Amino acid sequence: MSTGTLLAIVIPIVVVVALIAVALVLFRRRRALRERFGPEYERTVDGADSRLAAERELSTREKRHDKLDIKPLPDGVRARYSRDWDDVQHEFVDRPEDAVHDADRLVTSLMEARGYPTGSYDQQLKDLSVEHGRTLEHYRAAHEIDMLGTGHKATTEQLRSAMVHYRALFDELLFDGGQSRRATA
């Protein structure tokens, strides 16, 4: 067999194997991001120019999150936050709009206590999405209702719903053990 014939056979095989390897890497990366971010994966893909751009964004979020000092709460601090939540729930009976706004502030305070930056709402969403992608929609819904409540445009049922949504993220932040990715990786 001549060298030219041998190269004509080997080169396409090498190219096909390389393409399969690249496809496998991309497939595994996509699956890992889907598992990691849950519904936030599809939300990010829907809002991006391409799936690749969305996956780059999610990877960027992971890298930023890895640099954060996310920590568990000491038992005493966790107990204080639980009492504060109970107070906010009791406040709902007489002042539902104020209670929802206080729930938002309490969740933000809890995020800060855990080590999440709390400057920008959009950045909060991105930072939380890495470990809390499955409850992030609760936070979005609650925050939206809180904004309606601030303008006195939310119904009592919407405000009640906001409390339920805030509670979902609050519980996850409070009771997930505070395991950061670095601690579990």
Side-chain angles (χ1 to χ4, degrees):
M1 195 178 280
S2 73
T3 304
T5 306
L6 191 57
L7 286 175
I9 295 171
V10 171
I11 289 175
I13 291 173
V14 169
V15 169
V16 168
V17 168
L19 289 174
I20 290 171
V22 167
L24 282 173
V25 167
L26 290 175
F27 175 77
R28 285 183 181 154
R29 176 178 170 221
R30 180 169 294 153
R31 187 176 63 196
L33 287 171
R34 274 191 172 135
E35 288 174 7
R36 176 81 192 247
F37 286 90
E40 187 65 14
Y41 175 88
E42 290 303 328
R43 186 181 204 10
T44 305
V45 168
D46 290 344
D49 294 335
S50 69
R51 184 174 298 276
L52 189 59
E55 290 176 353
R56 259 189 257 120
E57 162 65 21
L58 294 171
S59 292
T60 299
R61 291 181 193 184
E62 283 182 317
K63 289 175 187 159
R64 174 183 159 83
H65 186 274
D66 286 347
K67 293 177 183 174
L68 299 176
D69 185 23
I70 308 300
K71 55 194 172 290
L73 295 174
D75 291 340
V77 173
R78 185 178 293 118
R80 181 181 53 91
Y81 273 105
S82 288
R83 285 190 306 273
D84 290 349
W85 182 264
D86 289 342
D87 292 344
V88 168
Q89 281 187 291
H90 287 94
E91 176 185 21
F92 186 83
V93 174
D94 295 323
R95 297 187 339 264
E97 286 176 350
D98 291 340
V100 169
H101 192 63
D102 289 345
D104 181 72
R105 284 196 305 241
L106 186 60
V107 166
T108 301
S109 173
L110 178 55
M111 282 188 270
E112 187 172 28
R114 290 284 313 279
Y116 288 98
T118 57
S120 153
Y121 172 71
D122 290 333
Q123 189 60 53
Q124 286 176 3
L125 291 174
K126 289 177 182 180
D127 291 338
L128 287 169
S129 71
V130 177
E131 287 189 15
H132 305 284
R134 285 169 175 55
T135 55
L136 202 54
E137 198 54 41
H138 286 288
Y139 188 44
R140 280 190 180 96
H143 188 75
E144 186 176 309
I145 295 167
D146 184 32
M147 294 294 101
L148 287 174
T150 300
H152 307 293
K153 296 178 183 173
T155 66
T156 302
E157 182 56 28
Q158 286 174 313
L159 294 169
R160 186 200 65 75
S161 178
M163 292 295 289
V164 171
H165 289 307
Y166 276 128
R167 181 64 189 242
L169 180 60
F170 180 85
D171 283 347
E172 191 168 298
L173 286 168
L174 192 65
F175 296 113
D176 74 354
Q179 298 301 315
S180 70
R181 262 177 44 116
R182 284 182 303 222
T184 59

